Structures are given as structure tokens and as C-alpha cells.
Amino acid sequence: MSKPLIGRTLRRLRTERGLTQQGLAARLGISASYLNLIEHDQRAVTAAVLIKLTEALAVDLAALSGQAERQLEAGLREVLSDPVLGLDALPEEELRAMAGAAPNAARGVLALYRAWRVAREDASGIALPSGRRLLLPNEEARDFFHERQNHFPALESFAEALGALMGAAPAEMNHAIAQRLRTTHGVSVEVVPMPEADRRFDPATRRLWLSESLPREGRGFRLAFQLLLLEGREAMEEALAGHAPTTPEAAALIRIGLLNYAAAALLMPYAPFLAAARALRHDVEALAARFGTSYEQAAHRMATLQREGARGVPFFFLRLDPAGNVTKRFSAAGFPFARFGGNCPKWMVHHAFSTPGQVRVQVAELEDGAAFLCFARATHGPSPRWGEPAPMQVVAMGCDVGRADEVVYGDGLDLSRRVGIGLSCRLCERPDCRSRAFPPLEHRLRLDANEDSAAPWRFEKRGTP
């Protein structure tokens, strides 16, 4: 795989800081013409220049990886391939140029497309009988967390201070939180039969009810959430500063997400959790056992370790249900999720449903050659009542295959044996895929009644007359 180039990322960072090529070149101690070649990916960057760039632009090496541009390119490719738009196939060079040279305009295109999809679906009958329109606050919330790499220093600092004040070890944290709720806030906690809800708080009587069907780690997390709801509002608003949600629903969803983040930071403090993750080589089950949390809680926390100067391995995180609906996702690893369609059927996240409780591992390679060590496990919650299936979901994570030696799930794997996957069937150009559900949007079908192909769809290569 070719070494990633940083030209467009460098150009974006320089422009955002109001620097000319001459000005930045002077800070780096190189000529403006050499910097111009770097920005156009015509010259490689030496280690010495990379270090000077991080200092001159006040960023770390991760910010120069081009992750934001790659994610933007993937979104543009998906949007502009929609057959309803009637566009010819855009060359990859144009997509890269748009994402790199005009990122704000590119994000505007994605926002307009998302709004258009909502309007189209609403016109097709998704409007409620009351006349209220179903908007997509969950998409806005996802973007909010994704754009901040799911890391919030204000919440981390508050949770650390609160945890230090309580001074409890991980095994005692649930008891310490319940005691603080009782002594500081006058909140009584009761565990009761409550099939219709997991948690309910009455501000008037200061009573907190937790469902008896919740496992211990589930109760602990909801206790932490309740404490942050009472004490962490100022830190939450600080984390939200500078963002104006477009609807009350989106605002509420983002605030709940921030409080969930703070609760996880309280139960799994940053520095101890990072040290444990490194020592245990990112074994999610072992981390969950050490901190008294669920598998999903530990996995989610592991994907938030992006503190300046103390970064963990960048992981992407995905949660989906048996119908393929993505209920949570974000990426600190540069994995380009499809925003508007399903995932690749060859990706092992779908296969994990067949082996609940077991971790499935795969080295997945995208069409551009980027490879990721992926691991996934199916989990299930309590059944609401006899005869109803327990809710099941898959929690999946992954990192760049170059970091596989830091992750226990890479042990014993032949990292050169990779499974080729795509963003989605409609965007994937692999001609021999037997798992393909749809033909690619930008290709003409090749149909022959005299021959049955092993692959479900055969198509002409792009540009074939």
C-alpha cells in the first residue's frame, strides 16, 4: 500500500490559520516552492519537516493524517453517485480536489443532500397524521460527536475531579456514586420491577428507580448518569459551546450523549483506563472486568482516548442491530462509514450475530488499499418479558492494521490475508463479489441470457463505451 500523502490536509490547516505559503515555509525553514510541491503531493515529507509542521500549525501527527478529508471524500462519492441526481461519474481527482480545497462547501453539499432526503421521504408518506415531520436529529448528533472525534476535554476534566473527590476504586464506584446521590442530593435509589423503563427519576420526591432486570454494570452506569445530570450540566454546556443544534430534539439528543460520555469518564477515568488498555493490549472483555462495566461501555470508552499528548490507539466504533440499522458510530481511525446506505455484507460485523458472546476478527481492506484490523461481538440485553426475543446488537471496533501489534485481537493473524470490502454495494467496484446485493451505480450492467455468472451482477468497467 502506498504511503499516505498529506498535501491537501496541510493546505487546509494552513488556510484555516491564515498563513501564506511563504509565511509557513519561513517557519519551517524550507523554500515556498518546496512547500508548494508538498501541498500538491509531489514531494514526500521528511520526519524533520513533519515535526516542524506539528509545531508551526499547533497540531499533532494524527491531525496530519488526512482522516477528515478521506471521510469527506467518501461522503461526496456516496452522495454524487445517487442516480436521482443524474450526474456522470465524477473522477476521483475531482472528489479529492473538492474535499481538500473546499471542505466547507463539501460539507454543505452533504448537509443539503441529507435535508433533501428527509424532504423526499416526508413527501413519500413519512409525515405523521398530526402533520409533524420526522426529522433526523440522530444524524445531527452523530455528526456532532464525529467532528470532535468523540473526545471532550471539559467533560474529562470534570469527571476526573469528581472521581478524585469520591476517591473510590473501580470495584467500589457504584456504591460511592449511590452514597453521593443520597448524602449530597438527597436522592434515594430503589431497584424495582419496571418492564417499561430502565431508569426513572422524580425531581419532586428525589427518588430514583432502576429496573431490576438491569445487570450490575447497567445499574452502575445509570447511577453515574444520574449524578452527572445533577452535577455536570455546566461542564456539559461547555462541551456544547459553539454549536447551535437546529432542533430541540437534536439539542436534547446531544446533551444526553454528552452526559453519557461524562458518566463513562467517571466510571473509567482517562489515565487509569488508558494505562490498563495498553497493559491489557486493548482486550475489551478484560477492561470491562477490571472497571466493572459492560463490554459495550468498555469498547465505547476505548474509542474516546484522544487526549492531546496522551492518545490511545485510534479506533472506530460501530453498533448495529440484526436488521443492519446502525444505531451508533464514530471513527477516530479514518474508517469511512457509508452515511446513507447499508454496509458491505462481507464485513464480519454481520457474521458476529451468529456467534453471540464470541469476538470475531477480520483484516478488512478497502478498495483504496487501506486495511483495518476489525473485531466484533454480539451482545444482548434482558428480555422484557417471556416470549419476546432479547434485544441483540453487535459492537464492532477496528484500527489501522499498522497498529495490530498493540491489540490482542491481532495475535496469531496473518495480516497479509485480507478480505476485500466496500463502503456499500452501490459504491463498490469489485467485479467478482458473490455477496453483492446491488450493482454499482456508476456502471452499465452486462447481461447475457446464455450465461449465468457466479457473481449476482456483472457490469462493464467504468468508461467502457
Side-chain angles (χ1 to χ4, degrees):
M1 184 174 69
S2 61
K3 186 176 180 180
L5 299 171
I6 67 168
R8 29 187 198 147
T9 305
L10 174 56
R11 187 162 57 250
R12 172 177 60 82
L13 292 171
R14 174 179 61 78
T15 304
E16 288 176 353
R17 286 154 178 75
L19 294 172
T20 64
Q21 282 189 339
Q22 291 81 0
L24 180 56
R27 295 189 186 186
L28 299 174
I30 62 176
S31 67
S33 60
Y34 180 41
L35 179 59
N36 183 62
L37 292 173
I38 293 176
E39 288 193 356
H40 287 85
D41 290 329
Q42 296 178 14
R43 287 291 186 276
V45 185
T46 65
V49 172
L50 269 178
I51 294 173
K52 290 181 180 179
L53 278 171
T54 61
E55 296 171 351
L57 298 173
V59 297
D60 58 17
L61 289 174
L64 292 169
S65 67
Q67 172 186 331
E69 284 77 10
R70 288 197 297 273
Q71 186 70 33
L72 206 51
E73 283 177 27
L76 286 173
R77 185 179 301 110
E78 188 174 3
V79 166
L80 298 177
S81 297
D82 193 320
V84 176
L85 299 181
L87 299 176
D88 293 332
L90 263 69
E92 291 296 315
E93 294 75 14
E94 287 191 28
L95 289 173
R96 286 195 292 267
M98 186 173 182
N104 289 332
R107 282 189 285 270
V109 169
L110 297 184
L112 285 171
Y113 181 77
R114 184 165 57 243
W116 173 74
R117 279 177 60 97
V118 171
R120 181 177 65 178
E121 291 171 351
D122 189 64
S124 300
I126 292 184
L128 298 177
S130 64
R132 177 172 173 262
R133 295 177 62 194
L134 289 176
L135 300 179
L136 298 174
N138 58 311
E139 286 291 339
E140 183 174 342
R142 282 180 186 174
D143 289 345
F144 173 83
F145 285 93
H146 175 77
E147 289 166 5
R148 290 154 182 80
Q149 293 192 320
N150 202 38
H151 180 73
F152 299 92
L155 297 178
E156 294 283 358
S157 299
F158 181 82
E160 285 180 349
L162 183 57
L165 188 64
M166 291 191 291
E172 302 169 349
M173 184 58 75
N174 288 2
H175 175 73
I177 293 173
Q179 185 176 21
R180 184 170 180 85
L181 284 169
R182 181 174 59 255
T183 59
T184 304
H185 302 282
V187 174
S188 63
V189 180
E190 299 179 48
V191 178
V192 298
M194 199 164 55
E196 75 283 0
D198 289 334
R199 178 187 66 91
R200 180 176 292 119
F201 177 64
D202 184 352
T205 62
R206 313 299 284 179
R207 297 176 69 187
L208 174 64
W209 294 280
L210 299 178
S211 172
E212 65 180 7
S213 66
L214 284 172
R216 179 182 179 278
E217 60 269 16
R219 296 177 190 176
F221 193 87
R222 284 159 179 81
L223 286 172
F225 179 92
Q226 186 64 50
L227 183 60
L228 269 300
L229 183 62
L230 295 171
E231 297 193 23
R233 290 182 180 272
E234 186 175 339
M236 176 190 66
E237 294 300 333
E238 183 180 347
L240 189 56
H243 179 78
T246 60
T247 65
E249 291 88 350
L253 201 56
I254 291 172
R255 285 185 169 88
I256 291 172
L258 290 172
L259 289 173
N260 279 325
Y261 181 101
L266 177 62
L267 294 172
M268 296 168 278
Y270 193 99
F273 191 85
L274 175 61
R278 289 171 172 169
L280 296 170
R281 299 185 58 238
H282 304 91
D283 185 330
V284 181
E285 291 172 301
L287 285 166
R290 178 167 298 186
F291 287 87
T293 64
S294 69
Y295 182 93
E296 180 183 344
Q297 291 163 7
H300 193 165
R301 183 58 169 153
M302 201 165 75
T304 67
L305 303 178
Q306 295 299 301
R307 174 179 287 177
E308 189 77 25
R311 294 184 184 274
V313 173
F315 286 102
F316 68 77
F317 177 96
L318 180 80
R319 188 182 70 191
L320 72 161
D321 66 17
N325 301 307
V326 175
T327 55
K328 187 186 295 185
R329 70 176 177 220
F330 53 84
S331 177
F335 190 89
F337 294 117
R339 295 176 61 91
F340 304 106
N343 296 301
C344 177
K346 294 171 64 177
W347 200 18
M348 55 83 211
V349 297
H350 305 287
H351 307 160
F353 284 109
S354 64
T355 55
Q358 298 181 23
V359 178
R360 302 288 294 263
V361 183
Q362 180 187 66
V363 180
E365 184 175 86
L366 298 174
E367 289 183 273
D368 63 1
F372 297 84
L373 173 65
C374 306
F375 50 97
R377 176 186 168 185
T379 63
H380 61 81
S383 176
R385 58 185 58 83
W386 170 253
E388 289 192 22
M392 181 175 287
Q393 55 195 10
V394 160
V395 173
M397 300 189 72
C399 65
D400 188 278
V401 74
R403 308 293 293 267
D405 61 334
E406 302 175 56
V407 183
V408 68
Y409 305 109
D411 291 354
L413 287 182
D414 180 356
L415 300 180
S416 65
R417 296 188 62 183
R418 303 174 179 182
V419 176
I421 68 171
L423 288 183
S424 67
C425 290
R426 294 196 184 278
L427 298 176
C428 180
E429 300 186 2
R430 301 183 189 275
D432 56 349
C433 178
R434 298 192 177 200
S435 300
R436 179 183 291 280
F438 306 100
L441 292 171
E442 299 181 359
H443 297 267
R444 293 169 52 189
L445 290 178
R446 182 157 53 90
L447 305 173
D448 186 350
N450 296 314
E451 181 180 352
D452 289 336
S453 172
W457 299 96
R458 291 190 300 178
F459 49 89
E460 304 288 350
K461 293 183 178 180
R462 187 185 305 197
T464 303

